[in-house]
Amino acid sequence: MPRLFACLFVLILAAAPLSARAADRLPAVETVPAQVEMPSVANRWGMVPGEALTVGIGVVAGVIAMDMMVGSAPALIAGAVAGALIGSWWFDAYGPTLKPITGAMKGGAI
């Protein structure tokens, strides 16, 4: 049986160049330089750097909290997802600040 597969493999490799050929002629195409827009640095991964930082901190905090409470792999994944959701909500509500924790008012005074 292994010899049969080896023979078939060799036959396929030998027949591959016979079935390949170049096209007769390529159609005439007018070359136009492509207008490529580079993504802005702020939205490279779909979020601004402050949001990425807030979500990342939420993920790390969620994993640490679930590791201390439960410690299993599914719990760590659930903690990471919950932390990401909480971090995204935090950024939408407060931005990348600690205003709810420090009690800072709008003017910056405590």
Side-chain angles (χ1 to χ4, degrees), residues 11-103:
L11 286 175
I12 290 172
L13 287 178
L18 298 175
S19 62
R21 68 179 181 91
D24 294 335
R25 279 202 136 170
L26 292 175
V29 177
E30 185 179 325
T31 58
V32 177
Q35 304 263 337
V36 178
E37 289 184 26
M38 295 297 293
S40 66
V41 175
N43 291 324
R44 184 164 296 184
W45 293 284
M47 58 178 85
V48 294
E51 184 176 8
L53 178 68
T54 307
V55 170
I57 290 172
V59 168
V60 171
V63 167
I64 291 172
M66 289 305 281
D67 185 39
M68 290 184 344
M69 289 191 295
V70 180
S72 67
L76 295 178
I77 293 171
V81 170
L85 292 173
I86 292 170
S88 180
W89 165 80
W90 186 290
F91 182 80
D92 290 340
Y94 304 108
T97 62
L98 296 176
K99 286 181 186 177
I101 295 174
T102 61

